Amino acid sequence: GAVVSQHPSRVICKSGTSVKIECRSLDFQATTMFWYRQFPKQSLMLMATSNEGSKATYEQGVEKDKFLINHASLTLSTLTVTSAHPEDSSFYICSASQLSYNSPLHFGNGTRLTVT
Amino acid sequence: RKEVEQDPGPFNVPEGATVAFNCTYSNSASQSFFWYRQDCRKEPKLLMSVYSSGNEDGRFTAQLNRASQYISLLIRDSKLSDSATYLCVVNQAGTALIFGKGTTLSVSS
């Protein structure tokens, strides 16, 4: 079946540094990938929609200059958390679908970011 | 009103019990419906899609009522391994999935 690979699975960084998270679709081409964030005991919240070859679409309240998204190929999207702060500590999950709609998403394993 | 609302939970049931989760969604343009399962500190995994006619997969039965904008999941003969958070998920054509907050199920022996 379709697989989405996300790396790293866990990262601890100091406040002020930047962290890059990679999301790869391993056996299908994903023109669109989605980035979610989940705080403890909260639901998954969509941060942005990553479109191959064009700018990402950010949800309201998500700073595009802080969460840089690059979707340079049909199998890779990256999320960079710039100048991370402790409040950015969260579980970040990417997802992709083989079709544009009406198909369930396949999720990466998630990245647990801890900013100290 | 939140886009997807679920039973608050948690549900604590003994093995073998039958348990039902409910979910309502606010956007009448929603076209696709799913139940996902999420284990603690893990990514969500698709449990089953929900079809208009209702569908069953083993011990799991999903129902959709478009008129009432209501989705349900029934789990029969609960197992210890069913303990998890169950997420109600909807989307419209070409958009990302919208997740409910989830309902936690704890099955005990």
Side-chain angles (χ1 to χ4, degrees), chain A residues 15-57:
Chain A
S15 186
T17 59
S18 295
V19 176
K20 180 186 282 189
I21 303 170
E22 292 187 348
C23 181
R24 295 180 185 274
S25 57
L26 296 184
D27 57 359
F28 66 97
Q29 294 183 332
T31 55
T32 303
M33 292 185 177
F34 304 99
W35 288 95
Y36 290 84
R37 178 169 56 182
Q38 186 177 35
F39 291 106
K41 299 187 185 299
Q42 299 295 317
S43 61
L44 283 149
M45 296 301 296
L46 180 65
M47 298 177 65
T49 301
S50 171
N51 303 297
E52 188 269 337
S54 65
K55 292 182 179 180
T57 304

Side-chain angles (χ1 to χ4, degrees), chain B residues 79-100:
Chain B
K79 310 291 185 189
L80 293 175
S81 57
D82 293 334
S83 298
T85 297
Y86 291 83
L87 307 171
C88 175
V89 185
V90 303
N91 84 325
Q92 306 167 47
T95 66
L97 298 183
I98 306 299
F99 287 81

Side-chain angles (χ1 to χ4, degrees), chain A residues 10 34 36 38 41-44 46 49 91 93 100-105 107-110 112, chain B residues 31-32 34 36 38 41-44 46 49 87 91-101:
Chain A
R10 183 182 296 271
F34 304 99
Y36 290 84
Q38 186 177 35
K41 299 187 185 299
Q42 299 295 317
S43 61
L44 283 149
L46 180 65
T49 301
F91 191 46
I93 308 176
S100 60
Y101 67 96
N102 208 33
S103 286
L105 291 185
F107 286 89
N109 290 336
R112 189 160 300 282
Chain B
Q31 296 183 339
S32 302
F34 310 96
Y36 276 73
Q38 185 174 26
R41 303 172 75 87
K42 297 288 183 72
E43 78 281 12
L46 177 67
S49 301
L87 307 171
N91 84 325
Q92 306 167 47
T95 66
L97 298 183
I98 306 299
F99 287 81
K101 196 172 181 178

Side-chain angles (χ1 to χ4, degrees), chain B residues 27-69:
Chain B
N27 192 333
S28 59
S30 298
Q31 296 183 339
S32 302
F33 309 91
F34 310 96
W35 282 101
Y36 276 73
R37 168 191 170 134
Q38 185 174 26
D39 292 288
C40 188
R41 303 172 75 87
K42 297 288 183 72
E43 78 281 12
K45 292 187 185 296
L46 177 67
L47 179 65
M48 59 194 304
S49 301
V50 186
Y51 302 119
S52 297
S53 56
N55 49 298
E56 185 174 308
D57 182 2
R59 298 181 293 109
F60 300 86
T61 301
Q63 297 278 352
L64 167 65
N65 184 321
R66 287 186 184 271
S68 301
Q69 296 181 199

Side-chain angles (χ1 to χ4, degrees), chain A:
Chain A
V3 177
V4 174
S5 173
Q6 187 172 341
H7 177 80
S9 58
R10 183 182 296 271
V11 59
I12 301 173
C13 69
K14 292 185 178 181
S15 186
T17 59
S18 295
V19 176
K20 180 186 282 189
I21 303 170
E22 292 187 348
C23 181
R24 295 180 185 274
S25 57
L26 296 184
D27 57 359
F28 66 97
Q29 294 183 332
T31 55
T32 303
M33 292 185 177
F34 304 99
W35 288 95
Y36 290 84
R37 178 169 56 182
Q38 186 177 35
F39 291 106
K41 299 187 185 299
Q42 299 295 317
S43 61
L44 283 149
M45 296 301 296
L46 180 65
M47 298 177 65
T49 301
S50 171
N51 303 297
E52 188 269 337
S54 65
K55 292 182 179 180
T57 304
Y58 290 82
E59 295 301 301
Q60 190 174 12
V62 178
E63 300 175 57
K64 63 178 182 180
D65 294 329
K66 180 172 181 62
F67 298 99
L68 300 179
I69 291 174
N70 185 290
H71 195 156
S73 78
L74 287 171
T75 58
L76 174 64
S77 175
T78 61
L79 169 68
T80 301
V81 183
T82 62
S83 187
H85 289 95
E87 57 266 31
D88 297 324
S89 299
S90 186
F91 191 46
Y92 293 84
I93 308 176
C94 72
S95 63
S97 175
Q98 291 175 277
L99 300 175
S100 60
Y101 67 96
N102 208 33
S103 286
L105 291 185
H106 300 284
F107 286 89
N109 290 336
T111 297
R112 189 160 300 282
L113 171 64
T114 302
V115 185
T116 60

Side-chain angles (χ1 to χ4, degrees), chain B residues 98-109:
Chain B
I98 306 299
F99 287 81
K101 196 172 181 178
T103 301
T104 300
L105 171 66
S106 177
V107 182
S108 57
S109 57

